[in-house]
Amino acid sequence: MDTLQTRAIDSAKLDTLVGRVVSDLSAGYGGVMVSLGHRLGLYKAMADRGPLTSREIASRAGCAERYVREWLNSQVAGGYVTYHAVSGTYELTPEQAFVLANEDSPVFIPNAWATPASMWADEEKAVEAFRTGAGIPWGDHDGRLFCGVASFYRNAYRASLVPEWLPALDGVVDKLKAGARVADVGCGHGHSTVLMAEAFPESRFHGFDTHDKSVLEAHKVAKEAGVSDRVTFSTARAENYPGTGYDLICFFDCLHDMGNPVAAATHAAGALAKDGTVMLVEPFANDRVEDNISPVGRLYYAASTTICCAHAISDGGHTVLGAQAGEARLKDIFRKAGFTRFRRAMQTPFNLILEARL
């Protein structure tokens, strides 16, 4: 029987799969190294410095040279740091620095590794959820999740929200310049709310989230940005946050986490001003599984398994969209809520930017 099983295996396909698995395992180890490099200031010690020895880098970062040397070699092996064999020096190129050292870069990635770290920490909760069908509320996850998600989206929002996404909506920018009333539903740490408040000082912004600790953090973010005079944050659900007459209601990467997205969209319909707009930003996805076979699709399906679907189930689970809902399913949610106009305003490799109006 063992012989028959061996004959049934295509060795070329097996080699390809094993190579992929080893590459993934290497990436997992590499994520730990990236996080260490960020937390210890190693990337910043190298940025814009040209070729450096391991001793120079260790000295600049205040770390032990032997650890730094081994870490550097892991970075070289992964293509994250350039090695000059003749001089025995290490260099962070401008491109590498843009991804690994520049915290304001739209592609800065080190903090994002906090999310898979939290997923590992929560593995036992996920195992239990799979076996019982129970949900896992957002607030029950390892604390690194909240920082990881906020960091993953913050810089992308900073690069695109004001200059690209809002102008893609019909007439919204003019309203914001003149003075609009805006609700940011599922605001998290408030980065999206604050970015809009910085750009449009005549408007007033109200952020809502169910996670108390995130709301507290949002207050701090607004205060540090100097926009507390035009931004408020409070704990509220998407189905019952206060206020009406909103010119713009935003859902940034959160509708798919909700247990009853139709109820959330229905409440938005009642809270909108007569000619108001809903801006729905969701993870990029095509409508069919077979069209989401990509590294981005894999990332989102994985996070959705233990985070997004788990929270939606804990939140009542009326409709568990998942992070790869796709435009057609999202459009149906808003149709059921009474919206008559729904369109894709634009897209990025990571997001769909959708517009809904009554």
Side-chain angles (χ1 to χ4, degrees), residues 255 261-262 265-266 280 287 319 321 325-339 342 354:
L255 187 78
V262 173
T266 300
L280 177 64
D287 293 323
T319 303
L321 286 170
E327 184 176 351
R329 292 176 68 199
L330 295 167
K331 180 178 182 179
D332 187 57
I333 294 293
F334 279 82
R335 179 188 62 78
K336 290 176 179 176
F339 287 80
F342 190 92
L354 305 160

Side-chain angles (χ1 to χ4, degrees), residues 171-304:
V172 167
V173 169
D174 288 339
K175 290 182 180 180
L176 291 169
K177 288 179 178 178
R181 182 171 165 82
V182 180
D184 189 355
V185 183
C187 63
H189 286 193
H191 294 297
S192 52
T193 327
V194 168
L195 284 169
M196 292 187 289
E198 288 176 323
F200 303 103
E202 298 302 316
S203 293
R204 295 298 177 263
F205 301 85
H206 308 273
F208 304 106
D209 202 281
T210 59
H211 188 232
D212 291 333
K213 291 182 180 179
S214 289
V215 171
L216 289 174
E217 184 64 27
H219 282 292
K220 295 178 184 177
V221 171
K223 185 176 180 180
E224 291 172 0
V227 296
S228 296
D229 61 323
R230 51 189 179 273
V231 175
T232 65
F233 293 103
S234 56
T235 303
R237 293 181 57 82
E239 303 94 340
N240 61 14
Y241 53 88
T244 57
Y246 291 108
D247 300 290
L248 176 66
I249 297 177
C250 304
F251 295 88
F252 289 102
D253 288 292
C254 66
L255 187 78
H256 65 272
D257 295 315
M258 298 175 186
N260 194 342
V262 173
T266 300
H267 185 72
L272 272 179
K274 184 177 180 180
D275 191 32
T277 301
V278 168
M279 179 183 191
L280 177 64
V281 177
E282 281 285 299
F284 179 86
N286 293 298
D287 293 323
R288 303 185 303 174
V289 172
E290 59 267 34
D291 295 327
N292 290 325
I293 301 173
S294 69
V296 173
R298 183 189 187 189
L299 184 155
Y300 281 144
Y301 276 126
S304 185

